[in-house]
Structures are given as structure tokens and as C-alpha cells.
Amino acid sequence: MSTATNELTTPGTSVRAPFTVAVTADAAKPDGSSIHGDLGLRRLTEQGVQWHVLPSYTDPIPPADLTGVHAVLSLGHIAFDARTLDHAPDLRLIARFGAGFETIDLESCTRAGVVVTNTPDAIRRPLAVAGLTLLLALAHKLLAKDRLTRTSDWAARERYRGAPIVGQTVGIVGFGSVGAELARLLAPLGMKVVGNNRSGRHPEAAGLGVELLGLDELLERSDYVVLCAALTPETENLIGADALARMKPSAHLINIGRGKLVDTDALRRALQTGLIAGAGLDVFEPEPLLPDDALLTLDNVVLSPHSLCWTKDFTRDVSAAALGSILATAAGKRPLNVLNPEVFDSAAFAAKQGRNHDS
């Protein structure tokens, strides 16, 4: 959901007390550098917002580490539940660096008066490009051909002919903003796109020529199935043995959503027995894969360590969106991309705003 920027304070007022941000240590070092690159934390400093990286990667965050913290920049998937929030009386905002929020209990956040935001617009194009990258790599059997070249086994190349692109059907499961962006990227390649989502509707579907189908029909018709769905109790293990059996033997499964969308044991069997032609995976369950996982040995699987969309523009845009949420909250404004907009009507939120202005 997206909430327009609105003043929460009386016009002309500002936050009097220092505003403190904790950055999670799962992807950042004490100096603020991160595995994603430059997060642009100097923007916070320039606006008088104090920040620090948490002393350790602990999930959930210890209560002592949230004392006096007004916002958390969550770079990964640390859990925030009622127990954690009960020990964070000053917390007003959890800003997710990315789109996924399955480890955040939104209802508990709302009761605690904590706003939760994510960055769906910033991640849309990089994630769609990641899906396209895996699709093309699978279609052209790029992994196997790379290996043949490195081992000078050119004689074996005739066994690895590419699959068609033009006229093939791509089924996007969880057809939302990322799926729509992927459909735009696929259109010039002459591929047909069908989609599936929980509501059976999407405002851009018709304009993009995307037919929305039930999941079973999508699986049966698609040559490439791309998973973009959010992880919820309803979508966990959405693609299991029955779903894989519905796919064409020539079809490929691509997962750029969450590892738990797929029953990994069932997928492993499907790939080993030829039930489906191949898979492109940027996400897994568990992460990282265990060293003896059979997926690591298969020629018909292209793997990426949950980072295929990590590009310079990804970091720039996602950081800008997440920091924008923090700066808006520090200034007493409503940030964009609020996941629990009902929080603004809660007594707990009003109380925190009141404490802010009394400081």
C-alpha cells in the first residue's frame, strides 16, 4: 500500500528531540558500509538524524539495543513481533530495505504505534531484470555452455541446444508491480505473458496484454513459470509436487520471490527425474544451501545467492526510498509506502507523537 505524504504535526513545527536510527547488523558494518554498497547514510547526518549500526546481528533484536531508538533501518529479515515491540517504547518506524516484510508482525506494530514501510517501487525494475536474466540463461543453457567452454569440451555442445523464446508463454505467479515490469521487458522478445494473483485483477494487466488465470491453468500453459509472490501462510510451499506435475516437461521454474514459496524436496526430485526441464533460483530454503545439496550439482539449474538484483541503481533507489521514510518520520510527516496505514488512527501512535512534541 502507498500512503501519500501528509503533515502529522502543526505546520511550522519540527521534531525537537534528537531522532535516533538503528541500522541492523545483518548487512552492515559499524561504519555504515554494507554488502549492498553505499547506503547514503550521510543524508541522515546532514538532516541532524543520529544513526548507528547495531552491535551484533541478533534476531530478534535484544531489548537493550532498542532503548532510545526511534527508527530501525532493517536491511534484512529480522523479526519484529509483539514481544520485541513491547520492549521498544520509543520505536516509531521500521523501514524495510526492500519489499518483503513476512518477518514483521504488522498487527503488533499497529497496536504498538509503529509505522512499517518498504520500498516496492525502487525494487521493481531490478527484480524484474533478475527474472529476465534467469529466463534467458535457462533458455540458452548458459551454465552448461560456460562449463563446456572452460573445460574445452566443445564436442559436447550439441547436447545443449537452446529453447525457443519467440512465441513462448511466461506465467508470472504473484502478478503485481514486479510482474508488470517483467511483462514490459518480455514484450519486445515476442513472448506471451499470463499471470496469477490473489485478487484475479491488476490495473495494468489488460494494457500489457496479460491474461490473468487460475494457478493450475497457468502452470499447465506456461513454458516459463516465474514466482514473484509475497511469502504468506497461504503461499508457503505454493509450488509443491502437485504443482510441478502440472507443468510441461519442457518448462522451467524461476523463483525471484522467496525460497519458501517452493517445496525444495519436490523441486529437487522434479529436476532430477526430468519432470520439468530446469530451474533458475535466486532464493532458497534454507539460505545458504547446504554444501551437499543436489541442486548444486545439476546442469539444468542456474543459481544465484539471493543477490541477482543487487546493482548500483538498486542500492541507490532502495536506499533513497528507505531513508526518505526515516526523514519524513523524523520531521513528523507520513512516509510513503506504509504497510499498516491504520496505525495513524491508533492511540499508541498518537501517544508517541505527543511524547515527541513534549520532549
Side-chain angles (χ1 to χ4, degrees), residues 133-150 160-163 299-302:
T133 299
L134 289 172
L135 188 155
L136 293 175
L138 288 166
H140 292 286
K141 303 188 186 302
L142 187 59
L143 179 65
K145 290 177 178 177
D146 177 87
R147 178 180 53 78
L148 295 181
T149 307
R150 293 176 188 275
Y160 297 98
R161 298 184 184 278
D299 262 353
N300 58 343
V301 183
V302 178

Side-chain angles (χ1 to χ4, degrees), residues 242-307:
D242 291 343
L244 291 164
R246 289 185 179 277
M247 293 175 61
K248 301 176 183 179
S250 59
H252 296 80
L253 179 71
I254 295 166
N255 191 0
I256 54 172
R258 287 288 182 265
K260 288 185 178 182
L261 295 174
V262 179
D263 179 336
T264 304
D265 290 335
L267 176 61
R268 216 179 275 116
R269 290 191 296 270
L271 292 165
Q272 291 170 323
T273 61
L275 185 64
I276 64 173
L281 308 173
D282 184 52
V283 289
F284 309 90
E285 177 57 33
E287 290 186 1
L289 288 175
L290 298 177
D292 61 350
D293 196 307
L295 289 173
L296 300 171
T297 68
L298 300 177
D299 262 353
N300 58 343
V301 183
V302 178
L303 306 173
S304 172
H306 201 156
S307 61

